[in-house]
Amino acid sequence: MKALSLFSGIGGLDIACEMAGMEVVAFSEIEPYACEILKRRWPNVPNVGDVRNITRDLLENVGVKQGEIDIVFGGFPCQPFSVAGKRRGKSDDRFLWPEFSRIVREISPVWIVAENVSGLINLALDDVLSDLESENYETGTFVYPASAVGAPHKRERLFVVGIRKDVAYPRCPLRQGTVEQRAHTVEESKELANITERSSGTLWPTPTCRDYKGANSESGLMRSDGKMCTDQLPNAVKFWLTPRKFMYKDSIIDRNKSNLGEKVGGQLNPDWVECLMGFPVGWTDIDCEEPLPWPGWPALMGQPQYDYEPPRVATKSRNRTKRLKCLGNAVVPQQAYPIFQIIADIHRASLLFKEC
């Protein structure tokens, strides 16, 4: 299967797509540092730039033939729906679903996968589903956290999946329901994450694009009520640092006194966040020619760090701010992989059906 990637970012959905045996034939991304990462990791795949400029002619100019695209996917900007923003929804200038919908209408792929935050459900999901269904797509919505696939943080995400009705196989609804029923799915996913947390320990805060800020001093790591600021990832890692041989001299945290020891050093390490987000280590470092394979999920917050994890904090890291911003906006590949794998399985089954 050949795929067109929209709002590609640093390639989280693209990694999931390739894990399922699909081929990405073109990207669409405009953020400069993310573009550098894509070029570094996929040097032979063209980046066609702004989605607002994508046409069939433009795709043909970069070698993508008409009718070649089996699947269009992308995580269109989530700021209009995120709780971290002003939640203006469709009135936000960054609401680019109409461009996604236009490209689907012009290319008419067999499959579409759209990713976003769960806040989309009450603000624009009905419009998204209505647009796809008007273009003759059968649609389904799925909401679940990254912790459902083993990640030590929640990162709840909504996936909208569509298959063109004239080629749908097998012929059954993907997942239908009202907004209220879909909202119930969100609650189920939260409970799933809570079960994971209760059974295994404490989940880390979900990475965000603002994680490059963090606190640089001991005072900034404690709230006015004397409790530790562990609700944001850059601060949380400083309470559970990577063990170092010099640390026998001072306790990192004196939990009896609820204050920090002297050595909180360093800032949130992008290499460790890559591990937390399911990416190969060094993926967002454009000076890294060959990233190390993803080693596995980090230990939960408050637990001893696994030997294979990169340090949680670092004193020197090139392009740290840019890397953390990109990672905060990224999709966990393992979270999206089950959807792409099921699509690939259905596609193979349909080919076998045609042969029979």
Side-chain angles (χ1 to χ4, degrees):
M1 299 180 71
K2 296 186 182 299
L4 171 63
S5 171
L6 306 179
F7 312 102
S8 306
I10 61 173
L13 289 176
D14 307 274
I15 291 176
C17 171
E18 292 191 344
M19 287 167 62
M22 303 177 189
E23 177 189 359
V24 179
V25 296
F27 297 114
S28 172
E29 178 56 49
I30 61 172
E31 199 283 318
Y33 193 77
C35 289
E36 291 186 55
I37 295 171
L38 294 176
K39 185 176 181 180
R40 184 69 163 164
R41 305 302 167 218
W42 285 278
N44 298 319
V45 179
N47 181 358
V48 296
D50 197 326
V51 294
R52 289 168 288 198
N53 298 330
I54 294 179
T55 62
R56 283 186 294 186
D57 289 341
L58 176 63
L59 291 173
E60 288 188 4
N61 287 339
V62 296
V64 180
K65 298 177 182 179
Q66 185 173 344
E68 184 179 27
I69 301 297
D70 299 300
I71 178 170
V72 172
F73 64 81
F76 56 101
C78 65
Q79 293 92 336
F81 316 104
S82 174
V83 293
K86 297 182 179 179
R87 306 198 76 188
R88 293 174 178 170
K90 293 176 288 184
S91 63
D92 196 304
D93 291 340
R94 294 166 294 184
F95 179 56
L96 292 175
W97 167 254
E99 291 299 324
F100 195 130
S101 179
R102 175 189 63 79
I103 292 168
V104 168
R105 183 168 59 253
E106 292 187 13
I107 296 176
S108 192
V110 176
W111 291 91
I112 71 98
V113 176
E115 177 270 343
N116 215 288
V117 296
S118 59
L120 178 78
I121 288 175
N122 293 323
L123 294 174
L125 180 56
D126 278 349
D127 291 297
V128 170
L129 297 181
S130 177
D131 287 348
L132 291 174
E133 288 163 6
S134 68
E135 295 299 327
N136 203 36
Y137 283 86
E138 212 167 70
T139 62
T141 58
F142 306 87
V143 183
Y144 55 95
S147 57
V149 296
H153 59 102
K154 289 184 179 179
R155 200 167 194 84
E156 189 174 83
R157 285 299 181 268
L158 164 73
F159 294 90
V160 177
V161 181
I163 180 173
R164 222 172 59 213
K165 290 182 180 178
D166 62 308
V167 293
Y169 176 86
R171 291 188 175 277
C172 61
L174 294 172
R175 188 165 186 165
Q176 300 294 348
T178 63
V179 169
E180 290 74 18
Q181 289 170 325
R182 290 191 287 268
H184 182 63
T185 306
V186 176
E187 295 305 317
E188 289 174 344
S189 72
K190 289 179 179 178
E191 179 59 23
L192 178 60
N194 290 336
I195 291 172
T196 303
E197 187 168 351
R198 288 196 299 269
S199 62
S200 304
T202 304
L203 296 173
W204 290 98
T206 291
T208 73
C209 63
R210 300 176 182 175
D211 283 347
Y212 68 92
K213 294 181 179 179
N216 291 319
S217 65
E218 180 178 326
S219 60
L221 298 173
M222 304 299 296
R223 295 204 298 254
S224 58
D225 59 3
K227 294 183 179 180
M228 297 178 275
C229 297
T230 58
D231 55 342
Q232 294 178 332
L233 190 60
N235 298 338
V237 293
K238 295 188 178 182
F239 291 95
W240 287 280
L241 294 174
T242 304
R244 290 285 186 267
K245 61 182 180 181
F246 65 77
M247 290 182 179
Y248 70 93
K249 295 181 179 179
D250 301 283
S251 171
I252 298 303
I253 302 176
D254 186 342
R255 290 180 173 82
N256 294 325
K257 297 180 181 179
S258 296
N259 60 17
L260 295 176
E262 293 180 0
K263 291 182 171 61
V264 297
Q267 293 177 299
L268 182 62
N269 182 6
D271 287 352
W272 182 77
V273 178
E274 288 171 339
C275 185
L276 185 69
M277 288 289 289
F279 282 84
V281 177
W283 183 264
T284 59
D285 181 1
I286 59 174
D287 296 319
C288 175
E289 184 173 345
E290 189 65 37
L292 298 175
W294 177 65
W297 300 117
L300 289 160
M301 187 165 66
Q303 294 184 346
Q305 188 171 19
Y306 299 136
D307 291 340
Y308 60 72
E309 292 182 47
R312 292 170 180 166
V313 297
T315 54
K316 294 181 181 180
S317 179
R318 287 175 58 86
N319 296 312
R320 193 186 79 93
T321 295
K322 295 177 180 179
R323 293 177 66 188
L324 289 176
K325 282 184 176 181
C326 285
L327 286 163
N329 286 324
V331 180
V332 177
Q334 295 82 349
Q335 189 175 4
Y337 166 72
I339 289 176
F340 284 102
Q341 186 59 64
I342 290 170
I343 289 173
D345 290 344
I346 293 174
H347 179 73
R348 280 191 286 269
S350 68
L351 294 179
L352 290 172
F353 179 78
K354 289 177 181 178
E355 289 178 2
C356 293

